[in-house]
Amino acid sequence: MSTAILGIESSCDDTSAAVIVDGILRSNVIAGQKVHEAYGGVVPELASRAHQQNIVPVVSEALRQADIKKEDLSAIAYTRGPGLLGSLLVGTSFAKGMAIGLDIPLIDVNHLHAHVLSHFIKVNPEDKTPEFPFLCLLISGGNSQIILVRSMSEMEILGKTIDDAAGEAFDKCAKVVGLPYPGGPHVDRLAAQGDPKAFSFSKPHIPGLDYSFSGLKTSFLYTVRDKIKENPRFIEDNIADLCASLQTTIIDILLDKLQKAINQTGVKDVAIGGGVSANSGVRDAVEKLCHRMKVRAWIPPRAFTTDNAAMVAIAGYHKYLNNEFSQLGLPPFARVSI
């Protein structure tokens, strides 16, 4: 008998549902939310309302694309946290109600674990996956962490941001120069046309493997402010160079600590995950670093970098195999570590 897991993701502003059958991805449906663009960031109340509108059609479409009936599901995996509490409540409540209605087990998934385990999503049975132990550079709007992954469930944070995350640096600096939210993809696009050495921004000196991006943001803001005094058209005249220089600085900060972690741990596999791992410059730089250090690089398909239910479903699938089920009374949580 097949093992079919429905995954539900609603931690921020994307409503997503996916179906994995015997470890193979059968569907992954994502509904985004355009409503936040006008505000330059995610508005929690609007996000939770949109989740309520989207979750039923998204789950229905995921089941249709997977060609599976809800009665054939083995369990439902859902993101319990971290994330926006109102958004999490929508996915959590839906998952619990559906599990009760179908009389099948419920599996709670840590959103950060799911990002790490996205490398185990298989579209085809022959797809390769990292070997334990491996390092994962988890980079998103809310997290910048270097994680030593010893098994599907045993993970240790070796370094993390002490203030802003890399994704926040991309988005907030993009906002300074008038780019739409989310700013990361726009910076990535414009950086390809600019000179990465045109401007120099501050880099932190943080001991160990921890990160900091607040100083970079301040340096970027002050540079733009001072240059505009000299030339009111400074941003328009230099937008590509600004983006290229910003992106290169963020990548340098990320890879400096990642290289140290590789040397300290001696791992042979290095993965990246989270929304910022969709960035072209980051992907290329990690590939080159791993090639230079003679370790295997695991770069996820872009479809599995942002928040998606496929990663929740694969995390749930492996917990199902170990009979790791959750109680109906467990509440979602806004903050949690690996």
Side-chain angles (χ1 to χ4, degrees):
M1 179 148 177
S2 296
T3 299
I5 307 296
L6 170 67
I8 294 175
E9 156 62 23
S10 69
S11 65
C12 191
D13 61 334
D14 287 330
T15 314
S16 183
V19 175
I20 282 181
V21 179
D22 293 334
I24 307 300
L25 183 66
R26 295 273 285 268
S27 66
N28 186 36
V29 179
I30 303 173
Q33 299 179 5
K34 295 287 186 181
V35 67
H36 307 286
E37 292 179 3
Y39 301 94
V42 177
V43 181
E45 177 63 26
L46 296 179
S48 55
R49 291 181 185 180
H51 282 303
Q52 289 177 317
Q53 295 174 333
N54 292 337
I55 194 161
V56 171
V58 164
V59 169
S60 296
E61 180 62 14
L63 292 171
R64 187 194 68 80
Q65 289 186 16
D67 192 24
I68 190 171
K69 297 177 181 179
K70 61 182 183 295
E71 291 81 10
D72 295 327
L73 293 172
S74 307
I76 298 175
Y78 70 98
T79 299
R80 187 181 169 201
L84 300 174
L85 197 55
S87 296
L88 290 166
L89 278 166
V90 176
T92 298
S93 301
F94 185 90
K96 289 179 178 179
M98 192 170 182
I100 291 171
L102 296 172
D103 193 25
I104 57 177
L106 194 64
I107 303 169
D108 67 301
V109 172
N110 181 315
H111 181 76
L112 304 181
H113 274 215
H115 270 304
V116 174
L117 298 182
S118 64
H119 291 277
F120 294 88
I121 299 169
K122 291 187 176 184
V123 178
N124 301 296
E126 63 272 15
D127 289 346
K128 304 296 184 184
T129 58
E131 295 182 9
F132 299 113
F134 67 91
L135 283 177
C136 182
L137 175 63
L138 179 57
I139 36 178
S140 66
N143 297 278
S144 293
Q145 301 176 342
I146 298 176
I147 302 165
L148 178 60
V149 187
R150 295 189 176 92
S151 70
M152 289 289 179
S153 58
E154 187 182 359
M155 305 181 192
E156 178 187 356
I157 297 175
L158 303 182
K160 63 183 184 299
T161 182
I162 61 173
D163 43 56
D164 294 328
E168 287 177 293
F170 272 115
D171 288 341
K172 291 178 180 178
C173 290
K175 189 175 182 180
V176 168
V177 295
L179 294 175
Y181 175 85
H186 297 285
V187 172
D188 190 9
R189 173 177 54 83
L190 289 165
Q193 308 163 28
D195 177 4
K197 298 181 179 179
F199 301 99
S200 178
F201 302 120
S202 173
K203 295 180 184 178
H205 299 284
I206 308 296
L209 298 177
D210 286 341
Y211 286 113
S212 171
F213 293 95
S214 60
L216 166 61
K217 284 192 329 180
T218 303
S219 174
F220 185 88
L221 173 63
Y222 286 176
T223 297
V224 172
R225 181 198 64 182
D226 294 344
K227 294 292 185 181
I228 286 177
K229 292 177 182 177
E230 303 170 8
N231 172 17
R233 287 187 50 83
F234 170 73
I235 293 177
E236 292 89 333
D237 294 343
N238 296 275
I239 186 67
D241 288 348
L242 280 168
C243 289
S245 300
L246 170 66
Q247 181 164 293
T248 296
T249 305
I250 292 175
I251 291 171
D252 287 348
I253 295 170
L254 289 171
L255 264 61
D256 174 62
K257 297 301 178 79
L258 180 59
Q259 180 172 335
K260 290 178 181 177
I262 295 170
N263 285 328
Q264 287 181 21
T265 59
V267 299
K268 298 302 180 185
D269 290 56
V270 174
I272 58 174
V276 179
S277 66
N279 179 276
S280 302
V282 171
R283 296 165 77 89
D284 184 56
V286 171
E287 286 260 29
K288 290 178 178 176
L289 173 67
C290 290
H291 179 74
R292 189 171 72 249
M293 299 190 72
K294 295 180 172 55
V295 297
R296 287 183 292 268
W298 296 89
I299 313 295
R302 282 187 168 86
F304 304 144
T305 57
T306 53
D307 294 344
N308 66 90
M311 66 184 192
V312 177
I314 194 63
Y317 172 72
H318 287 284
K319 292 186 81 170
Y320 180 89
L321 296 180
N322 290 325
N323 294 313
E324 296 179 40
F325 305 126
S326 62
Q327 301 298 315
L328 285 169
L330 292 179
F333 40 71
R335 295 182 180 275
V336 72
S337 180
I338 279 287

